[in-house]
Amino acid sequence: MCPYSAISQVGIGTVTPDQSAILDISSTTGGLLLPRMNETQRDGISNPSIGLLIYLIEGNQQCLQVYNGTSWENIYCPTTNTVPSATNVSVSGTLNVSEIITAAYAYQDAESDIEDVSLYQWYRSDDASGTNEIAITGATSLNYTVSVTDDGKYLSFGVTPIAVTGALTGMEVKSNYVGAVGVVSNATARINEFHYDNAGTDVNEFVEIRISGNLGSQPADLSQYTVSLYNGSDQSFYLTVTLDSLTQTCDASNCYYVWDSIAIQNGAPDGIALSGPSGLVEFVSYEGTFTAGNGIASGVLSVNVGVFESSTTNANGAIEKSLAGVWSVSANSNTKGTENSL
Ligand SMILES: [Ca+2]
Ligand SMILES: [Ca+2]
Ligand SMILES: [Ca+2]
């Protein structure tokens, strides 16, 4: 029983308007065109109905607008402003562990919208093609300190330019991958020679550190290498220095850093430790062994060089490490600042 039926539909371009529509406009060649007007014309509409739609064109601004009963609201305003872009994204600096590298880029915006705080991100990959790329956690500044994890890897910097005004966020642009990152390896540095005891008053005492490679391939930041002298009786270091404050002499294969004019304890035992950017390189001792209680070798048991000097040692003598890494008391004069004689 349904005495009243008020179903009435209009179809334009269709004779079967959709059941859910009071008006069904069907076309694949034309659109629905709303009244287009400027603000003055819009505001001239008397008693606009709630839900009334117009397309506002006012100067450079265009908006699809609806009347909500009290005012006109924007539904959508197409923008002609374009997002900013980044170009010339590059990375500079020494690609070694512990070095700080820096990114640079040029910010551009067609409408001269000025730059807001753009987003930065450093990436690590296995090769220059970006294989297995990952975003490095926390690496979101222009500068990045190369970490041990980056050893042998490639790095890239990405910037997502952001504008203060207009269309805000552009596309991320990445630099080329740079690398591979090299380690200023601890393995290339070693305690190379020292002299601590001789006949009569101790003289010419020194420690020589050797880092492989000629002058051009030495670590950029020698302050990351520390030498400490340890006292075996209390397991504490009593003298320490960084390589940047020592005299450097180089040949084609190595550079030598001589810590001269120091008083080195005569055992037994006492020790010498060397640390680099990646931590302790080695901790050697003479006339016995002990575990360092503090400093760069803290908690590490020393390696006895196995040879020693005494009150009969020549004043110009030294204990030298051979090319093969074997410690010996040299029968020759010391070779401070030059290749060892053994
Ligand atoms: Ca813009
Ligand atoms: Ca001494
Ligand atoms: Ca030497």
Side-chain angles (χ1 to χ4, degrees):
M1 301 287 286
C2 188
Y4 303 104
S5 176
I7 296 174
S8 169
Q9 295 177 285
V10 175
I12 299 176
T14 176
V15 295
T16 55
D18 190 275
Q19 288 299 309
S20 66
I22 194 75
L23 171 63
D24 186 345
I25 306 170
S26 180
S27 174
T28 56
T29 55
L32 171 65
L33 190 59
L34 288 179
R36 291 149 294 165
M37 62 189 73
N38 62 29
E39 277 190 351
T40 302
Q41 293 164 334
R42 180 198 67 187
D43 295 342
I45 300 173
S46 62
N47 298 319
S49 169
I50 290 177
L52 193 68
L53 295 170
I54 63 122
Y55 193 79
L56 179 77
I57 302 175
E58 183 69 42
N60 291 328
Q61 192 182 10
Q62 300 180 18
C63 285
L64 176 63
Q65 292 190 324
V66 62
Y67 192 72
N68 67 8
T70 55
S71 63
W72 290 93
E73 288 194 4
N74 295 330
I75 298 172
Y76 175 67
C77 303
T79 178
T80 54
N81 193 290
T82 56
V83 296
S85 62
T87 58
N88 299 328
V89 184
S90 64
V91 173
S92 62
T94 304
L95 289 168
N96 280 335
V97 173
S98 299
E99 296 289 342
I100 295 174
I101 58 177
T102 301
Y105 65 95
Y107 171 91
Q108 294 180 335
D109 187 90
E111 296 78 29
S112 298
D113 293 309
I114 63 171
E115 185 177 14
D116 202 342
V117 180
S118 293
L119 299 178
Y120 305 145
Q121 179 64 57
W122 289 86
Y123 297 90
R124 177 190 301 125
S125 69
D126 291 344
D127 57 32
S129 301
T131 302
N132 294 327
E133 174 187 273
I134 62 146
I136 302 172
T137 302
T140 56
S141 302
L142 271 183
N143 292 334
Y144 174 65
T145 302
V146 182
S147 75
V148 173
T149 313
D150 301 321
D151 179 22
K153 304 288 188 177
Y154 290 71
L155 298 172
S156 171
F157 170 81
V159 52
T160 303
I162 297 179
V164 172
T165 52
L168 301 185
T169 305
M171 294 287 291
E172 183 182 39
V173 180
K174 292 179 182 174
S175 73
N176 291 331
Y177 270 93
V178 293
V181 170
V183 171
V184 179
S185 172
N186 281 348
T188 69
R190 71 180 204 178
I191 301 168
N192 201 51
E193 185 182 6
F194 61 99
H195 171 65
Y196 67 92
D197 196 3
N198 56 257
T201 303
D202 289 354
V203 294
N204 301 331
E205 293 168 295
F206 70 95
V207 175
E208 178 188 79
I209 304 300
R210 191 193 81 177
I211 297 182
S212 300
N214 61 18
L215 179 60
S217 55
Q218 291 297 294
D221 187 1
L222 289 167
S223 70
Q224 296 178 329
Y225 290 81
T226 299
V227 189
S228 293
L229 301 181
Y230 277 83
N231 180 355
S233 66
D234 66 2
Q235 299 86 46
S236 298
F237 69 90
Y238 60 92
L239 211 56
T240 195
V241 73
T242 53
L243 292 196
D244 58 315
S245 61
L246 301 183
T247 301
Q248 176 191 57
T249 56
C250 300
D251 56 33
S253 302
N254 301 292
C255 287
Y256 306 89
Y257 302 86
V258 177
W259 192 9
D260 221 341
S261 304
I262 50 176
I264 304 181
Q265 294 184 5
N266 292 359
D270 289 314
I272 306 167
L274 169 66
S275 70
S278 306
L280 185 68
V281 177
E282 59 179 331
F283 177 36
V284 300
S285 59
Y286 42 92
E287 305 182 27
T289 63
F290 61 98
T291 299
N294 63 8
I296 58 175
S298 183
V300 175
L301 175 65
S302 65
V303 175
N304 193 338
V305 297
V307 292
F308 57 89
E309 296 181 326
S310 71
S311 57
T312 62
T313 298
N314 186 292
N316 287 317
I319 293 175
E320 290 188 336
K321 197 178 205 175
S322 72
L323 290 178
V326 178
W327 288 101
S328 303
V329 176
S330 174
N332 308 313
S333 296
N334 71 61
T335 58
K336 282 190 292 187
T338 61
E339 186 177 5
N340 288 354
S341 60
L342 297 175

